[in-house]
Amino acid sequence: MSEAKRKQVLSAIQPTGDMHFGNYFGAVKNWVALQEKYDCIYGVVDYHAMTMPYNPKKLRTHTWELIFNLLAVGVKPESLFIQSLVPEHTELCWIFNCFTSYGQLTRMTQFKDKSRQSEETSGGFISAGLFDYPVLQAADILIYRADYVPVGKDQEQHLELTRDIAQRFNQQMGKEYFVLPEPLFTDTPKITSPADPTRKMSKSAGEKHYISLFEDEQRIRKKIRSAVTDTGAAAEGHMSPGVQNLFELLKAAEATTAYQQLLDQYHDGTLKYVDLKEAVAEALIGLSRQFKARRAELLADKKAVKRQIKESSARIRTIAQQTMRDVKELCGLQQVRY
Ligand code: TRP
């Protein structure tokens, strides 16, 4: 019996410096796990990072920092590519622009949110790139014929648009060329800010609202110790968001025994929050140590790692180039002969 071809998974992340436990438990840990079951391609999407005002030097350093961070937590180098090393994404994006409904793009909630932000951060300048962002995302996905796209619920609308583009293209070309990708909404923990457990852990909210994977141990301990627990408003028998978040972190860090014991204590009414916080701090520090050690190894031979990622990007590019040849053939465009 021949082995069935493994399903193709594609996901991507924007290069924005540091990675925190919210990113890790909410998405990247799942990327690592999916590598066991599927063929996975993961992109660091630097073209997407240009859609809002940005700093070119920082873009380049953040791109490589993110690559090292992803490798340190267990993403395989052969799965990884940098988007600007596969320029076919932007070429396909143009073609897809011609198969995308302008009206549908105006209804993208991420565009509306981000353009509202621009009012505050860049004097109201909204680039056409920000508007077109979801079409480039569709190109990222379809160019590799991804079956599954692990993303958060906030990306559902972009996935729907991607399927619509694929369908419109297929229909106009009279050929079922593009695979219609499905989102993979894995039930990942939603980690909140230790300083304000009603909001997501996020860098943009400021230093005390996130814990970096590579933060020093004292700082991790301090942030967990000062995490908000009960605000006094917690109803009897109802866990407050801050306490819930601490348990969520413990579970996500796979400190199963401590998790079970402390949860039992919580239900008995004997739990001391300092014990819970100690256990969470220990668990996060333990993980952080592993990640730091792995990252230090990688950084010791920075050149070799960069070369490896450029090679894997080049290999992944050959898939994208094949798709572009097919697409240009179907669209009545000319082929570049290399
Ligand atoms: N838009 C995604 C986000 O904000 C990032 C992204 C870009 C992406 N291209 C993608 C995600 C392709 C999945 C597939 O998180």
Side-chain angles (χ1 to χ4, degrees), residues 91-92 95-96 99 142 145 165-179 321-335 337:
E91 189 180 6
L92 186 57
I95 293 174
F96 281 169
F99 294 84
L142 297 176
R145 296 161 210 290
I165 293 171
Q167 228 158 359
R168 190 169 301 107
F169 183 94
N170 289 350
Q171 198 184 5
Q172 293 201 19
M173 298 306 152
K175 188 174 174 173
E176 292 301 306
Y177 181 71
F178 283 114
V179 174
Q321 286 176 315
Q322 185 54 55
T323 303
M324 278 317 297
R325 272 192 288 274
D326 297 344
V327 167
K328 288 178 112 179
E329 208 51 44
L330 287 165
C331 290
L333 296 161
Q334 305 298 314
Q335 298 291 351
R337 302 283 168 211

Side-chain angles (χ1 to χ4, degrees), residues 199-263:
R199 64 200 288 176
K200 252 185 19 178
M201 180 173 282
S202 114
K203 263 188 73 181
S204 54
E207 177 61 29
K208 58 183 190 261
H209 292 286
Y210 72 97
I211 302 169
S212 157
L213 292 189
F214 303 96
E215 199 148 328
D216 75 57
E217 300 188 3
Q218 285 320 308
R219 292 252 298 270
I220 296 182
R221 218 179 281 285
K222 194 163 160 245
K223 282 182 182 176
I224 295 296
R225 280 192 185 145
S226 50
V228 172
T229 45
D230 285 349
T231 53
E236 186 78 23
H238 185 82
M239 206 186 269
S240 67
V243 177
Q244 219 172 322
N245 193 44
L246 290 169
F247 274 111
E248 205 57 80
L249 282 167
L250 206 52
K251 189 161 83 179
E254 295 173 30
T256 327
T257 318
Y259 174 80
Q260 207 45 61
Q261 278 174 0
L262 292 160
L263 194 60

Side-chain angles (χ1 to χ4, degrees), residues 10-14 31 43 45 48 83 110 114 133-134 136-141 149-152 154-155 158-159:
L10 179 292
S11 197
I13 185 171
Q14 281 199 44
W31 284 15
V45 287
H48 277 98
Q83 192 185 29
Q110 188 171 313
K114 291 204 173 173
Y133 178 115
L136 181 57
Q137 180 167 351
D140 297 340
I141 296 167
V149 185
V151 280
D154 64 322
Q155 294 298 311
H158 289 170
L159 255 293

